[in-house]
Amino acid sequence: MIDEKELYELLADLESFRVERTISTADTDKFREAICSFANDMPASGRPGFWLVGADDKTGKPCGLKVTDDLLKQLNSYGRDGMILPPPSLAVYKIALSTGEGDVAIAQVQPSDMPPVRYKGRIHIRTGPQRGIANESQERILLERRR
């Protein structure tokens, strides 16, 4: 888990292969694709990816979201509902910002030890700040990483 100081550091930086931000709470395909791409850890950093819900993706500014128990349950369900295979290691929690700017829901995704991870049969990866579908060469690299 990260703390509020680390959250602000992630919000202040650009989106990267480890960080994605969104204000949306309803785009389930986008959420599952992000979780899948973090689990695949294409750059082989060995570090978790963070999906930050409640922050503008361009500015990193909190949007005043009020994170509810239902939202956390919904986000957590994406990692264990069988649509992402093999299931990723996912921790979901919220940080209430002490500045009064609202809450941020955080989905922390650990790199999979059984890549490639697929959503709807497709291998989603992050290359820098963008999400995409793995090509054959990238798929082979992920397959070679299986433990």
PDB file of all heavy atoms in Angstrom, residues 103-127:
ATOM      1  N   ASP A 103     -11.475  11.813  -2.394  1.00  0.00           N
ATOM      2  CA  ASP A 103     -10.798  10.538  -2.191  1.00  0.00           C
ATOM      3  C   ASP A 103     -10.216  10.068  -3.522  1.00  0.00           C
ATOM      4  O   ASP A 103     -10.650  10.496  -4.590  1.00  0.00           O
ATOM      5  CB  ASP A 103     -11.790   9.457  -1.721  1.00  0.00           C
ATOM      6  CG  ASP A 103     -12.540   9.825  -0.465  1.00  0.00           C
ATOM      7  OD1 ASP A 103     -11.988  10.576   0.357  1.00  0.00           O
ATOM      8  OD2 ASP A 103     -13.681   9.347  -0.315  1.00  0.00           O
ATOM      9  N   VAL A 104      -9.278   9.156  -3.430  1.00  0.00           N
ATOM     10  CA  VAL A 104      -8.763   8.466  -4.611  1.00  0.00           C
ATOM     11  C   VAL A 104      -8.803   6.978  -4.308  1.00  0.00           C
ATOM     12  O   VAL A 104      -8.318   6.543  -3.257  1.00  0.00           O
ATOM     13  CB  VAL A 104      -7.318   8.906  -4.957  1.00  0.00           C
ATOM     14  CG1 VAL A 104      -6.775   8.090  -6.124  1.00  0.00           C
ATOM     15  CG2 VAL A 104      -7.263  10.395  -5.281  1.00  0.00           C
ATOM     16  N   ALA A 105      -9.429   6.220  -5.202  1.00  0.00           N
ATOM     17  CA  ALA A 105      -9.411   4.759  -5.094  1.00  0.00           C
ATOM     18  C   ALA A 105      -8.184   4.262  -5.831  1.00  0.00           C
ATOM     19  O   ALA A 105      -7.886   4.725  -6.936  1.00  0.00           O
ATOM     20  CB  ALA A 105     -10.674   4.163  -5.695  1.00  0.00           C
ATOM     21  N   ILE A 106      -7.485   3.337  -5.215  1.00  0.00           N
ATOM     22  CA  ILE A 106      -6.250   2.830  -5.791  1.00  0.00           C
ATOM     23  C   ILE A 106      -6.367   1.328  -5.997  1.00  0.00           C
ATOM     24  O   ILE A 106      -6.721   0.600  -5.075  1.00  0.00           O
ATOM     25  CB  ILE A 106      -5.054   3.138  -4.870  1.00  0.00           C
ATOM     26  CG1 ILE A 106      -4.934   4.645  -4.720  1.00  0.00           C
ATOM     27  CG2 ILE A 106      -3.762   2.521  -5.407  1.00  0.00           C
ATOM     28  CD1 ILE A 106      -4.188   5.085  -3.520  1.00  0.00           C
ATOM     29  N   ALA A 107      -6.076   0.905  -7.220  1.00  0.00           N
ATOM     30  CA  ALA A 107      -5.940  -0.520  -7.513  1.00  0.00           C
ATOM     31  C   ALA A 107      -4.455  -0.746  -7.756  1.00  0.00           C
ATOM     32  O   ALA A 107      -3.892  -0.220  -8.703  1.00  0.00           O
ATOM     33  CB  ALA A 107      -6.763  -0.905  -8.729  1.00  0.00           C
ATOM     34  N   GLN A 108      -3.851  -1.486  -6.855  1.00  0.00           N
ATOM     35  CA  GLN A 108      -2.421  -1.781  -6.945  1.00  0.00           C
ATOM     36  C   GLN A 108      -2.273  -3.189  -7.496  1.00  0.00           C
ATOM     37  O   GLN A 108      -2.732  -4.147  -6.885  1.00  0.00           O
ATOM     38  CB  GLN A 108      -1.790  -1.645  -5.565  1.00  0.00           C
ATOM     39  CG  GLN A 108      -0.303  -1.839  -5.552  1.00  0.00           C
ATOM     40  CD  GLN A 108       0.287  -1.490  -4.192  1.00  0.00           C
ATOM     41  OE1 GLN A 108      -0.226  -0.655  -3.459  1.00  0.00           O
ATOM     42  NE2 GLN A 108       1.377  -2.148  -3.858  1.00  0.00           N
ATOM     43  N   VAL A 109      -1.633  -3.302  -8.656  1.00  0.00           N
ATOM     44  CA  VAL A 109      -1.537  -4.572  -9.370  1.00  0.00           C
ATOM     45  C   VAL A 109      -0.088  -5.032  -9.387  1.00  0.00           C
ATOM     46  O   VAL A 109       0.788  -4.321  -9.880  1.00  0.00           O
ATOM     47  CB  VAL A 109      -2.054  -4.431 -10.818  1.00  0.00           C
ATOM     48  CG1 VAL A 109      -2.042  -5.780 -11.528  1.00  0.00           C
ATOM     49  CG2 VAL A 109      -3.439  -3.809 -10.852  1.00  0.00           C
ATOM     50  N   GLN A 110       0.143  -6.230  -8.878  1.00  0.00           N
ATOM     51  CA  GLN A 110       1.487  -6.802  -8.887  1.00  0.00           C
ATOM     52  C   GLN A 110       1.758  -7.473 -10.235  1.00  0.00           C
ATOM     53  O   GLN A 110       0.844  -8.031 -10.854  1.00  0.00           O
ATOM     54  CB  GLN A 110       1.635  -7.851  -7.770  1.00  0.00           C
ATOM     55  CG  GLN A 110       1.493  -7.297  -6.375  1.00  0.00           C
ATOM     56  CD  GLN A 110       2.562  -6.272  -6.039  1.00  0.00           C
ATOM     57  OE1 GLN A 110       3.699  -6.375  -6.483  1.00  0.00           O
ATOM     58  NE2 GLN A 110       2.191  -5.273  -5.271  1.00  0.00           N
ATOM     59  N   PRO A 111       3.005  -7.434 -10.696  1.00  0.00           N
ATOM     60  CA  PRO A 111       3.332  -8.154 -11.930  1.00  0.00           C
ATOM     61  C   PRO A 111       3.034  -9.651 -11.769  1.00  0.00           C
ATOM     62  O   PRO A 111       3.303 -10.234 -10.720  1.00  0.00           O
ATOM     63  CB  PRO A 111       4.837  -7.928 -12.084  1.00  0.00           C
ATOM     64  CG  PRO A 111       5.131  -6.696 -11.304  1.00  0.00           C
ATOM     65  CD  PRO A 111       4.157  -6.712 -10.161  1.00  0.00           C
ATOM     66  N   SER A 112       2.483 -10.232 -12.796  1.00  0.00           N
ATOM     67  CA  SER A 112       2.135 -11.648 -12.751  1.00  0.00           C
ATOM     68  C   SER A 112       3.377 -12.525 -12.891  1.00  0.00           C
ATOM     69  O   SER A 112       4.292 -12.205 -13.651  1.00  0.00           O
ATOM     70  CB  SER A 112       1.170 -11.970 -13.890  1.00  0.00           C
ATOM     71  OG  SER A 112       0.898 -13.354 -13.934  1.00  0.00           O
ATOM     72  N   ASP A 113       3.388 -13.640 -12.166  1.00  0.00           N
ATOM     73  CA  ASP A 113       4.464 -14.612 -12.363  1.00  0.00           C
ATOM     74  C   ASP A 113       4.056 -15.666 -13.402  1.00  0.00           C
ATOM     75  O   ASP A 113       4.789 -16.611 -13.651  1.00  0.00           O
ATOM     76  CB  ASP A 113       4.887 -15.262 -11.045  1.00  0.00           C
ATOM     77  CG  ASP A 113       3.769 -16.004 -10.350  1.00  0.00           C
ATOM     78  OD1 ASP A 113       2.624 -15.971 -10.835  1.00  0.00           O
ATOM     79  OD2 ASP A 113       4.037 -16.611  -9.304  1.00  0.00           O
ATOM     80  N   MET A 114       2.873 -15.474 -14.011  1.00  0.00           N
ATOM     81  CA  MET A 114       2.374 -16.382 -15.049  1.00  0.00           C
ATOM     82  C   MET A 114       1.928 -15.603 -16.293  1.00  0.00           C
ATOM     83  O   MET A 114       0.830 -15.802 -16.798  1.00  0.00           O
ATOM     84  CB  MET A 114       1.194 -17.195 -14.501  1.00  0.00           C
ATOM     85  CG  MET A 114       1.550 -18.193 -13.431  1.00  0.00           C
ATOM     86  SD  MET A 114       2.571 -19.520 -14.034  1.00  0.00           S
ATOM     87  CE  MET A 114       1.409 -20.362 -15.091  1.00  0.00           C
ATOM     88  N   PRO A 115       2.785 -14.681 -16.799  1.00  0.00           N
ATOM     89  CA  PRO A 115       2.358 -13.950 -17.994  1.00  0.00           C
ATOM     90  C   PRO A 115       2.348 -14.874 -19.210  1.00  0.00           C
ATOM     91  O   PRO A 115       2.991 -15.924 -19.176  1.00  0.00           O
ATOM     92  CB  PRO A 115       3.415 -12.853 -18.130  1.00  0.00           C
ATOM     93  CG  PRO A 115       4.635 -13.410 -17.486  1.00  0.00           C
ATOM     94  CD  PRO A 115       4.134 -14.322 -16.386  1.00  0.00           C
ATOM     95  N   PRO A 116       1.652 -14.544 -20.240  1.00  0.00           N
ATOM     96  CA  PRO A 116       0.885 -13.319 -20.392  1.00  0.00           C
ATOM     97  C   PRO A 116      -0.501 -13.430 -19.756  1.00  0.00           C
ATOM     98  O   PRO A 116      -1.120 -14.493 -19.747  1.00  0.00           O
ATOM     99  CB  PRO A 116       0.768 -13.157 -21.904  1.00  0.00           C
ATOM    100  CG  PRO A 116       0.888 -14.540 -22.456  1.00  0.00           C
ATOM    101  CD  PRO A 116       1.762 -15.293 -21.497  1.00  0.00           C
ATOM    102  N   VAL A 117      -0.953 -12.309 -19.233  1.00  0.00           N
ATOM    103  CA  VAL A 117      -2.288 -12.191 -18.657  1.00  0.00           C
ATOM    104  C   VAL A 117      -3.196 -11.655 -19.767  1.00  0.00           C
ATOM    105  O   VAL A 117      -2.806 -10.750 -20.502  1.00  0.00           O
ATOM    106  CB  VAL A 117      -2.272 -11.240 -17.438  1.00  0.00           C
ATOM    107  CG1 VAL A 117      -3.671 -11.040 -16.888  1.00  0.00           C
ATOM    108  CG2 VAL A 117      -1.338 -11.784 -16.367  1.00  0.00           C
ATOM    109  N   ARG A 118      -4.386 -12.239 -19.878  1.00  0.00           N
ATOM    110  CA  ARG A 118      -5.294 -11.868 -20.964  1.00  0.00           C
ATOM    111  C   ARG A 118      -6.641 -11.372 -20.431  1.00  0.00           C
ATOM    112  O   ARG A 118      -7.141 -11.881 -19.441  1.00  0.00           O
ATOM    113  CB  ARG A 118      -5.552 -13.072 -21.862  1.00  0.00           C
ATOM    114  CG  ARG A 118      -4.361 -13.518 -22.682  1.00  0.00           C
ATOM    115  CD  ARG A 118      -4.688 -14.788 -23.476  1.00  0.00           C
ATOM    116  NE  ARG A 118      -3.752 -15.055 -24.540  1.00  0.00           N
ATOM    117  CZ  ARG A 118      -2.572 -15.639 -24.364  1.00  0.00           C
ATOM    118  NH1 ARG A 118      -2.191 -16.006 -23.173  1.00  0.00           N
ATOM    119  NH2 ARG A 118      -1.775 -15.851 -25.398  1.00  0.00           N
ATOM    120  N   TYR A 119      -7.185 -10.418 -21.147  1.00  0.00           N
ATOM    121  CA  TYR A 119      -8.561  -9.966 -20.919  1.00  0.00           C
ATOM    122  C   TYR A 119      -9.288 -10.130 -22.244  1.00  0.00           C
ATOM    123  O   TYR A 119      -8.835  -9.625 -23.275  1.00  0.00           O
ATOM    124  CB  TYR A 119      -8.596  -8.509 -20.449  1.00  0.00           C
ATOM    125  CG  TYR A 119      -9.978  -7.908 -20.465  1.00  0.00           C
ATOM    126  CD1 TYR A 119     -11.020  -8.487 -19.742  1.00  0.00           C
ATOM    127  CD2 TYR A 119     -10.258  -6.782 -21.221  1.00  0.00           C
ATOM    128  CE1 TYR A 119     -12.289  -7.948 -19.770  1.00  0.00           C
ATOM    129  CE2 TYR A 119     -11.520  -6.231 -21.247  1.00  0.00           C
ATOM    130  CZ  TYR A 119     -12.536  -6.821 -20.516  1.00  0.00           C
ATOM    131  OH  TYR A 119     -13.807  -6.284 -20.555  1.00  0.00           O
ATOM    132  N   LYS A 120     -10.378 -10.888 -22.234  1.00  0.00           N
ATOM    133  CA  LYS A 120     -11.130 -11.220 -23.446  1.00  0.00           C
ATOM    134  C   LYS A 120     -10.214 -11.842 -24.498  1.00  0.00           C
ATOM    135  O   LYS A 120     -10.326 -11.574 -25.687  1.00  0.00           O
ATOM    136  CB  LYS A 120     -11.837  -9.984 -24.022  1.00  0.00           C
ATOM    137  CG  LYS A 120     -12.981  -9.485 -23.188  1.00  0.00           C
ATOM    138  CD  LYS A 120     -13.706  -8.357 -23.898  1.00  0.00           C
ATOM    139  CE  LYS A 120     -14.929  -7.932 -23.125  1.00  0.00           C
ATOM    140  NZ  LYS A 120     -15.620  -6.806 -23.788  1.00  0.00           N
ATOM    141  N   GLY A 121      -9.261 -12.660 -24.027  1.00  0.00           N
ATOM    142  CA  GLY A 121      -8.372 -13.368 -24.924  1.00  0.00           C
ATOM    143  C   GLY A 121      -7.247 -12.527 -25.515  1.00  0.00           C
ATOM    144  O   GLY A 121      -6.436 -13.030 -26.281  1.00  0.00           O
ATOM    145  N   ARG A 122      -7.186 -11.258 -25.150  1.00  0.00           N
ATOM    146  CA  ARG A 122      -6.161 -10.364 -25.695  1.00  0.00           C
ATOM    147  C   ARG A 122      -5.161  -9.994 -24.611  1.00  0.00           C
ATOM    148  O   ARG A 122      -5.520  -9.839 -23.446  1.00  0.00           O
ATOM    149  CB  ARG A 122      -6.804  -9.112 -26.273  1.00  0.00           C
ATOM    150  CG  ARG A 122      -7.774  -9.475 -27.404  1.00  0.00           C
ATOM    151  CD  ARG A 122      -8.428  -8.284 -27.971  1.00  0.00           C
ATOM    152  NE  ARG A 122      -7.584  -7.817 -29.084  1.00  0.00           N
ATOM    153  CZ  ARG A 122      -7.873  -6.766 -29.813  1.00  0.00           C
ATOM    154  NH1 ARG A 122      -8.942  -6.065 -29.577  1.00  0.00           N
ATOM    155  NH2 ARG A 122      -7.075  -6.413 -30.795  1.00  0.00           N
ATOM    156  N   ILE A 123      -3.924  -9.827 -25.009  1.00  0.00           N
ATOM    157  CA  ILE A 123      -2.848  -9.484 -24.083  1.00  0.00           C
ATOM    158  C   ILE A 123      -2.656  -7.969 -24.108  1.00  0.00           C
ATOM    159  O   ILE A 123      -2.157  -7.421 -25.091  1.00  0.00           O
ATOM    160  CB  ILE A 123      -1.542 -10.194 -24.473  1.00  0.00           C
ATOM    161  CG1 ILE A 123      -1.751 -11.696 -24.468  1.00  0.00           C
ATOM    162  CG2 ILE A 123      -0.414  -9.785 -23.520  1.00  0.00           C
ATOM    163  CD1 ILE A 123      -0.620 -12.470 -25.122  1.00  0.00           C
ATOM    164  N   HIS A 124      -3.072  -7.325 -23.030  1.00  0.00           N
ATOM    165  CA  HIS A 124      -2.937  -5.874 -22.930  1.00  0.00           C
ATOM    166  C   HIS A 124      -1.626  -5.552 -22.224  1.00  0.00           C
ATOM    167  O   HIS A 124      -1.265  -6.200 -21.231  1.00  0.00           O
ATOM    168  CB  HIS A 124      -4.123  -5.279 -22.167  1.00  0.00           C
ATOM    169  CG  HIS A 124      -5.413  -5.463 -22.889  1.00  0.00           C
ATOM    170  ND1 HIS A 124      -5.917  -4.528 -23.755  1.00  0.00           N
ATOM    171  CD2 HIS A 124      -6.291  -6.495 -22.902  1.00  0.00           C
ATOM    172  CE1 HIS A 124      -7.046  -4.969 -24.269  1.00  0.00           C
ATOM    173  NE2 HIS A 124      -7.297  -6.166 -23.765  1.00  0.00           N
ATOM    174  N   ILE A 125      -0.930  -4.551 -22.752  1.00  0.00           N
ATOM    175  CA  ILE A 125       0.339  -4.127 -22.170  1.00  0.00           C
ATOM    176  C   ILE A 125       0.375  -2.602 -22.113  1.00  0.00           C
ATOM    177  O   ILE A 125      -0.420  -1.927 -22.771  1.00  0.00           O
ATOM    178  CB  ILE A 125       1.553  -4.636 -22.984  1.00  0.00           C
ATOM    179  CG1 ILE A 125       1.481  -4.130 -24.427  1.00  0.00           C
ATOM    180  CG2 ILE A 125       1.642  -6.158 -22.925  1.00  0.00           C
ATOM    181  CD1 ILE A 125       2.738  -4.367 -25.231  1.00  0.00           C
ATOM    182  N   ARG A 126       1.293  -2.091 -21.315  1.00  0.00           N
ATOM    183  CA  ARG A 126       1.563  -0.653 -21.300  1.00  0.00           C
ATOM    184  C   ARG A 126       2.985  -0.452 -21.799  1.00  0.00           C
ATOM    185  O   ARG A 126       3.908  -1.119 -21.354  1.00  0.00           O
ATOM    186  CB  ARG A 126       1.419  -0.074 -19.905  1.00  0.00           C
ATOM    187  CG  ARG A 126      -0.030   0.106 -19.506  1.00  0.00           C
ATOM    188  CD  ARG A 126      -0.176   0.878 -18.215  1.00  0.00           C
ATOM    189  NE  ARG A 126       0.075   2.299 -18.362  1.00  0.00           N
ATOM    190  CZ  ARG A 126      -0.823   3.203 -18.736  1.00  0.00           C
ATOM    191  NH1 ARG A 126      -2.046   2.825 -19.041  1.00  0.00           N
ATOM    192  NH2 ARG A 126      -0.519   4.479 -18.817  1.00  0.00           N
ATOM    193  N   THR A 127       3.107   0.467 -22.738  1.00  0.00           N
ATOM    194  CA  THR A 127       4.418   0.876 -23.225  1.00  0.00           C
ATOM    195  C   THR A 127       4.476   2.376 -22.994  1.00  0.00           C
ATOM    196  O   THR A 127       3.864   3.132 -23.742  1.00  0.00           O
ATOM    197  CB  THR A 127       4.600   0.539 -24.711  1.00  0.00           C
ATOM    198  OG1 THR A 127       3.507   1.074 -25.445  1.00  0.00           O
ATOM    199  CG2 THR A 127       4.659  -0.967 -24.923  1.00  0.00           C
TER     200      THR A 127
END
